[in-house]
Amino acid sequence: MIILDYNDKRPIYEQIVDKMQALIAGGVLEPDSKLPSVRSLAVELSINPNTIQRAYSELERSGFIYSVKGRGNFVRADEHLKEKQQNKLLRALEKQLITCREQGITRENIISSVDKVYEKREDSRSADAPQGSDGTDLHEEVQDD
Amino acid sequence: MIILDYNDKRPIYEQIVDKMQALIAGGVLEPDSKLPSVRSLAVELSINPNTIQRAYSELERSGFIYSVKGRGNFVRADEHLKEKQQNKLLRALEKQLITCREQGITRENIISSVDKVYEKREDSRSADAPQGSDGTDLHEEVQDD
Amino acid sequence: MIILDYNDKRPIYEQIVDKMQALIAGGVLEPDSKLPSVRSLAVELSINPNTIQRAYSELERSGFIYSVKGRGNFVRADEHLKEKQQNKLLRALEKQLITCREQGITRENIISSVDKVYEKREDSRSADAPQGSDGTDLHEEVQDD
Amino acid sequence: MIILDYNDKRPIYEQIVDKMQALIAGGVLEPDSKLPSVRSLAVELSINPNTIQRAYSELERSGFIYSVKGRGNFVRADEHLKEKQQNKLLRALEKQLITCREQGITRENIISSVDKVYEKREDSRSADAPQGSDGTDLHEEVQDD
DNA sequence: GTGGTCTAGACCACG
DNA sequence: GTGGTCTAGACCACA
């Protein structure tokens, strides 16, 4: 379910947080369902339990999960999570759009990119998945040159 | 010309690199014009000269400037620089668009954001600046929750 | 009678202890009346009997109940219980008041909060409940930021 | 400046966070002043640097400080911090007041406690300290019995 | 078994 | 020297 990318500059715990947020906001993980335990996920990803612990702490802090001592970590039931998540993404997108605009990229260029991304999906969606679901790479890094 | 933001998570040298790249690609710094010396810029920004040196090295590596031993650093005359820069931005944008799509954001939502960013500017552009100019914060940070 | 809050950071057994203490000190549970058995309460709350056992042990230790082997757990008849409970609350309140004072909060601010809490209740009390009754969450958690 | 209480149930990092928040919101630590480095404070308190790191992370997350890699941690300049901090305390106080009210404690009892705390200070203030400053124990624990 | 905290020691990026 | 991440291993409280 979660694939770590050691070439990614972002820390491991952050990669986990992002994937989990996407999975939760995307509805793949249902409210009140139990997440893998800290130790078991650590074994599964072959990383240190402390790193999982940190990821889970972040997720709890940001309201995606709640943890009960002695029982485990559970997906928080919050109707507005998906909406919040989407707003966050849109705000981030707008910041990037401003940069594009400032560098002289035209609105047409942008729309063209949007279409490229969305039309590709439109094709595969009907034959493939019910809705955006699997690829969950938030904030992916971009090579500098 | 360059304003450092210590609240920004990105390292100082990277802020400088991004700013310079924007200034060069945007045409504010003209081809073959001389950049401030490492030492003077370090004084001006009151930071460590090593940091400036690193930024200049990065800029040289990515082809935005060239350095002449004993004379200084100069803006590279490259017709395709602007284009390369824009392509880089568009590729980054598309990655984020994919994430948006995967989280269930509709094409309409995206277009709406695009319009928000571009319409606002259309107004000010005619009265203000000929083209993308100063506000050039790439990769700007976004609050997590 | 008892509602567990799994979002609450406090351990389950402590939530039970606090609730019981409030019910007993508030007179809802009368002296010498029998508490639900460990097993039945565990079933009712669908939690581990060990947890109930621990809560009851704590209650016995702090003098709120007494247990008779083979017969069950009973509310202790102690005239001073209510008073002790109130003193405990007042001492806790004073500790927090000291913190408030140290952070520059004025006596007027405090009084204003006191009035907010007590006036609201004055209205509802006559039409509602004879005295402090159920909502009895000690140490309730407060969002950090 | 910071005294750890190993008898306190609260984790060490949280004790540090609370003290620091009090010191910052109380104006003892001035905006943009540098905090002790992670390592040096660890030595001073004779605890592990990781623990300090965690405390500082929490402080940054909650907006009290900002950190610059390679330079250190600095007090954030935020006019509203003190206000926010006081509001947080007042909200926590009100929760506790509700509990008091529910346990039958009268408004008079409360006021009496408030006066006890504030009058005592009024005496010592004129002869002692200019304003609430030194004692900085937020959320202090209260014995159960 | 679960989560949570802490230590000891290491490595990296930044300035 | 600074902060930040990660590992390994330990201990505790809770259910």
Side-chain angles (χ1 to χ4, degrees):
Chain A
M1 197 128 87
I2 290 182
I3 297 169
L4 297 178
D5 177 5
Y6 287 99
N7 295 328
D8 194 332
K9 302 257 184 85
R10 288 153 56 229
I12 298 178
Y13 80 89
E14 197 178 319
Q15 293 185 40
I16 297 173
V17 167
D18 286 346
K19 299 265 194 204
M20 287 290 192
Q21 288 188 345
L23 291 172
I24 293 172
V28 179
L29 295 175
E30 296 185 358
D32 291 316
S33 64
K34 189 175 177 302
L35 296 175
S37 79
V38 170
R39 286 163 176 80
S40 69
L41 188 53
V43 170
E44 189 185 328
L45 301 179
S46 18
I47 60 176
N48 191 291
N50 280 331
T51 307
I52 305 289
Q53 180 71 269
R54 171 150 190 194
Y56 278 7
S57 300
E58 294 273 314
L59 285 168
E60 186 182 18
R61 189 188 62 70
S62 54
F64 283 77
I65 68 176
Y66 62 91
S67 81
V68 185
K69 247 196 205 159
R71 292 177 50 116
N73 291 277
F74 303 86
V75 176
R76 175 154 263 154
D78 183 346
E79 278 301 315
H80 302 291
L81 258 186
K82 186 168 188 172
E83 195 183 350
K84 277 193 247 171
Q85 178 79 347
Q86 293 187 351
N87 276 332
K88 199 178 85 183
L89 282 173
L90 280 177
R91 267 181 288 132
L93 188 72
E94 284 165 19
K95 291 218 169 183
Q96 221 168 335
L97 283 170
I98 289 173
T99 306
C100 289
R101 189 196 63 200
E102 284 165 351
Q103 284 297 305
I105 296 176
T106 65
R107 187 180 173 287
E108 286 66 38
N109 285 137
I110 302 288
I111 299 295
S112 158
S113 281
V114 172
D115 286 341
K116 181 158 59 165
V117 167
Y118 271 82
E119 279 170 11
K120 190 168 50 185
R121 186 60 174 185
E122 230 95 273
D123 301 341
S124 58
R125 183 184 296 181
S126 46
D128 195 355
Q131 206 168 4
S133 52
D134 57 342
T136 50
D137 41 353
L138 301 188
H139 305 310
E140 210 170 322
E141 281 292 308
V142 179
Q143 286 297 76
D144 195 10
D145 188 28
Chain B
M1 195 131 86
I2 290 181
I3 297 171
L4 297 178
D5 177 5
Y6 287 103
N7 291 334
D8 192 331
K9 290 310 221 184
R10 287 151 58 226
I12 309 285
Y13 84 89
E14 196 179 320
Q15 292 187 39
I16 297 172
V17 166
D18 287 344
K19 203 79 165 187
M20 288 291 193
Q21 287 187 346
L23 290 172
I24 293 171
V28 179
L29 294 175
E30 296 184 359
D32 294 315
S33 65
K34 187 175 179 301
L35 294 173
S37 77
V38 169
R39 220 183 308 167
S40 69
L41 190 52
V43 170
E44 189 187 328
L45 301 178
S46 48
I47 61 178
N48 193 314
N50 289 336
T51 307
I52 305 290
Q53 188 52 60
R54 172 152 188 188
Y56 277 6
S57 300
E58 289 282 320
L59 285 167
E60 189 177 11
R61 194 187 59 74
S62 55
F64 280 76
I65 69 176
Y66 61 92
S67 78
V68 183
K69 264 211 187 90
R71 299 215 30 237
N73 294 276
F74 302 86
V75 175
R76 175 156 246 145
D78 181 347
E79 274 302 313
H80 302 293
L81 254 189
K82 184 169 187 173
E83 195 182 350
K84 277 197 253 173
Q85 175 81 347
Q86 293 186 350
N87 276 332
K88 196 181 86 183
L89 283 174
L90 280 177
R91 267 182 289 133
L93 189 71
E94 285 165 17
K95 289 221 171 185
Q96 209 163 346
L97 282 170
I98 291 174
T99 305
C100 287
R101 191 197 61 199
E102 284 166 350
Q103 286 295 307
I105 296 176
T106 67
R107 188 181 170 286
E108 286 67 38
N109 283 137
I110 303 289
I111 299 297
S112 157
S113 281
V114 173
D115 286 342
K116 180 158 62 166
V117 168
Y118 271 82
E119 281 171 9
K120 190 168 52 186
R121 188 59 174 187
E122 228 93 274
D123 300 342
S124 57
R125 183 184 295 180
S126 48
D128 195 354
Q131 207 166 8
S133 52
D134 60 342
T136 51
D137 35 358
L138 302 188
H139 308 308
E140 207 170 325
E141 283 292 311
V142 179
Q143 283 295 74
D144 195 9
D145 50 322
Chain C
M1 196 129 89
I2 291 181
I3 297 171
L4 297 177
D5 177 6
Y6 286 104
N7 290 335
D8 191 331
K9 290 309 222 184
R10 287 150 58 225
I12 309 286
Y13 85 89
E14 196 178 320
Q15 292 187 39
I16 297 173
V17 166
D18 286 345
K19 204 76 163 189
M20 287 290 192
Q21 288 186 346
L23 291 173
I24 292 170
V28 179
L29 293 176
E30 296 184 359
D32 292 316
S33 65
K34 187 176 179 300
L35 295 173
S37 77
V38 169
R39 219 183 308 166
S40 68
L41 190 52
V43 170
E44 188 187 330
L45 301 178
S46 50
I47 60 177
N48 193 313
N50 289 336
T51 308
I52 306 291
Q53 187 53 59
R54 172 153 189 189
Y56 278 7
S57 301
E58 289 282 322
L59 286 168
E60 189 176 10
R61 194 187 59 73
S62 56
F64 281 76
I65 68 175
Y66 60 92
S67 77
V68 183
K69 263 209 187 94
R71 297 211 36 231
N73 294 276
F74 302 86
V75 176
R76 175 155 248 146
D78 181 348
E79 273 303 312
H80 301 294
L81 255 188
K82 185 168 185 173
E83 195 182 351
K84 276 197 251 172
Q85 176 79 348
Q86 293 187 350
N87 275 332
K88 195 181 87 184
L89 283 173
L90 281 176
R91 267 180 290 133
L93 189 71
E94 284 165 17
K95 289 220 170 183
Q96 211 164 346
L97 283 170
I98 290 172
T99 304
C100 288
R101 191 197 62 199
E102 284 165 351
Q103 285 296 306
I105 297 177
T106 65
R107 188 180 172 285
E108 285 67 39
N109 283 137
I110 302 288
I111 299 296
S112 158
S113 281
V114 172
D115 286 341
K116 181 159 61 165
V117 168
Y118 271 83
E119 281 172 9
K120 190 168 53 184
R121 187 60 175 186
E122 229 95 273
D123 299 342
S124 58
R125 183 185 294 182
S126 47
D128 195 354
Q131 207 165 6
S133 52
D134 60 341
T136 50
D137 35 358
L138 302 188
H139 307 310
E140 207 170 325
E141 283 293 310
V142 179
Q143 282 298 74
D144 196 9
D145 50 323
Chain D
M1 196 130 88
I2 289 182
I3 298 170
L4 297 178
D5 177 6
Y6 286 100
N7 295 328
D8 195 330
K9 302 258 183 87
R10 287 154 56 230
I12 299 178
Y13 81 89
E14 197 178 319
Q15 294 185 40
I16 298 173
V17 167
D18 286 345
K19 300 262 197 208
M20 287 290 191
Q21 287 188 345
L23 290 172
I24 293 172
V28 180
L29 295 175
E30 295 185 0
D32 290 316
S33 65
K34 190 174 175 303
L35 296 175
S37 80
V38 170
R39 285 161 177 80
S40 69
L41 187 53
V43 169
E44 189 185 327
L45 301 179
S46 17
I47 61 176
N48 192 290
N50 280 331
T51 306
I52 306 288
Q53 180 71 268
R54 171 149 191 195
Y56 279 7
S57 300
E58 295 273 314
L59 285 168
E60 186 182 19
R61 188 187 63 69
S62 54
F64 283 78
I65 69 176
Y66 62 91
S67 81
V68 185
K69 248 196 205 159
R71 292 175 52 114
N73 290 277
F74 304 86
V75 176
R76 175 152 262 152
D78 182 347
E79 277 301 315
H80 302 290
L81 259 186
K82 186 168 187 171
E83 195 183 349
K84 276 193 247 172
Q85 177 81 344
Q86 293 187 351
N87 277 332
K88 199 179 84 182
L89 283 173
L90 280 176
R91 268 181 288 132
L93 189 72
E94 284 165 18
K95 290 217 171 184
Q96 221 168 335
L97 282 171
I98 289 172
T99 305
C100 288
R101 190 197 63 200
E102 284 165 350
Q103 285 296 306
I105 297 176
T106 66
R107 187 179 174 287
E108 286 66 38
N109 285 137
I110 303 289
I111 299 296
S112 157
S113 282
V114 173
D115 286 341
K116 181 158 60 165
V117 167
Y118 272 81
E119 279 170 12
K120 188 168 55 186
R121 186 60 174 185
E122 229 95 273
D123 299 343
S124 59
R125 183 184 294 180
S126 46
D128 195 356
Q131 205 166 6
S133 53
D134 59 339
T136 50
D137 40 355
L138 300 188
H139 306 309
E140 210 171 322
E141 281 293 308
V142 179
Q143 285 296 77
D144 195 11
D145 187 28

